[in-house]
Amino acid sequence: MALKHEPTAPYHSAQDALRVLETVARHSTGVTDTELARQTGLGTERLTALLRMLRREGYVEQVADGEYVPGASLSRLGSAHGHDQALREKLQHTLDRLRDSVGAAIYISRYIDGEVHVTQCAEGPATPAVHEWVDFRSSAHASAVGKSLLGQLDLNGRRDHLARHKMARLTSRTITNERVLLSRLDSQPPTVPVLDLQEYAVGTVCAAVPITAGSSVGCLALSLPIEHAHRLRQAAETLNKGAAPVLLSLTI
């Protein structure tokens, strides 16, 4: 399966953050922001924003003299022992915070062995998850999650998936024509969130943004009840801005 590599803003942020982390890790006794700027080549404003995010996520800590040292989250994810559990806990913490800031249920989905898998979700009484009335694996053509994942595959990968999963009509808005869907996927800019306006389920709208790390295809998504549809585009933009920490965790 070949992938379409079109870097998004979260991807660039995660890559820059990795450069900062690698530099901090080389200076176990501490490194100043001035030295970080010199060694990474990042501008002051950009570096300040990244350090703020890395401190919030626990990847770096600022000690008494103002220097930066590796944080607890970096130590846990950097350890081979218990890495998977540490990653899951870290991602769930990030999803929970995104749920509260966006005001929507938040999901991580991955494309694994030719199938759509929702691997983690953050929901709550005020932010209910979408009811999976049709298996997400067989409804990629109708969901924001599925369309975001398919959009990261090449044409052969998309056609292979659609050949294995019939494009059933789930609502009156569902696209069931393969040519139309492939055209929509091809014209979707990677930096613009994919939307689902009651295509998967009546009464629910969704948005998804790519979080592709290496050869692993994934996306970050949200869902809202139709009465909050007016918030969808703004929520999607907030989701996109919050994708970098998720992508970073998956990359470490």
Side-chain angles (χ1 to χ4, degrees):
M1 177 185 68
L3 308 181
K4 291 178 64 180
H5 286 287
E6 298 179 79
T8 59
Y11 173 87
H12 288 302
S13 293
Q15 291 302 304
D16 287 347
L18 277 176
R19 287 162 59 193
V20 175
L21 285 180
E22 288 166 355
T23 306
V24 171
R26 288 198 303 269
H27 298 78
S28 57
T29 58
V31 59
T32 64
D33 51 3
T34 301
E35 188 62 19
L36 282 171
R38 188 184 70 79
Q39 293 192 29
T40 61
L42 295 168
T44 302
E45 187 176 340
R46 176 69 165 164
L47 178 61
T48 299
L50 288 170
L51 285 171
R52 186 183 305 118
M53 182 267 283
L54 291 171
R55 288 178 65 189
R56 184 184 69 232
E57 296 294 326
Y59 289 120
V60 301
E61 295 176 8
Q62 194 170 20
V63 292
D65 59 3
E67 293 188 335
Y68 291 90
V69 297
S73 292
L74 184 60
S75 299
R76 284 195 294 269
L77 287 181
S79 172
H81 178 68
H83 172 270
D84 290 350
Q85 180 63 26
L87 175 60
R88 187 168 185 83
E89 291 174 356
K90 179 60 183 168
L91 288 174
Q92 192 61 50
H93 178 74
T94 303
L95 293 186
D96 290 345
R97 191 174 60 244
L98 272 173
R99 173 200 61 205
D100 295 340
S101 64
V102 176
I106 306 292
Y107 315 79
I108 290 180
S109 185
R110 312 289 292 278
Y111 196 73
I112 304 170
D113 296 330
E115 300 294 349
V116 173
H117 295 272
V118 175
T119 55
Q120 285 182 250
C121 171
E123 58 177 314
T127 54
V130 63
H131 172 56
E132 188 179 356
W133 76 285
V134 175
D135 194 319
F136 289 138
R137 290 174 297 179
S138 60
S139 56
H141 64 291
S143 68
V145 159
K147 288 185 288 183
S148 179
L149 296 176
L150 292 178
Q152 297 173 62
L153 307 181
D154 65 6
L155 180 59
N156 288 336
R158 295 170 186 173
R159 283 177 168 162
D160 172 73
H161 183 92
L162 296 176
R164 291 183 286 109
H165 296 285
K166 176 178 170 57
M167 295 175 61
R169 184 175 298 281
L170 307 184
T171 77
S172 63
R173 294 174 175 265
T174 306
I175 298 172
T176 57
N177 183 293
E178 181 175 319
R179 181 182 58 80
V180 172
L181 179 64
L182 291 175
S183 176
R184 294 274 183 90
L185 293 175
D186 197 48
S187 62
Q188 174 74 30
T191 55
V192 177
V194 177
L195 303 182
D196 158 17
L197 305 176
Q198 301 189 90
E199 295 171 56
Y200 171 77
V202 173
T204 302
V205 294
C206 306
V209 296
I211 48 169
T212 302
S215 61
S216 175
V217 171
C219 73
L220 190 63
L222 66 84
S223 67
L224 289 167
I226 189 63
E227 55 266 30
H228 291 282
H230 61 283
R231 295 201 295 113
L232 181 62
R233 292 187 185 277
Q234 182 58 53
E237 289 304 317
T238 304
L239 183 75
N240 200 23
K241 292 175 183 176
V246 176
L247 186 52
L248 180 61
S249 297
L250 292 170
T251 306
I252 293 176

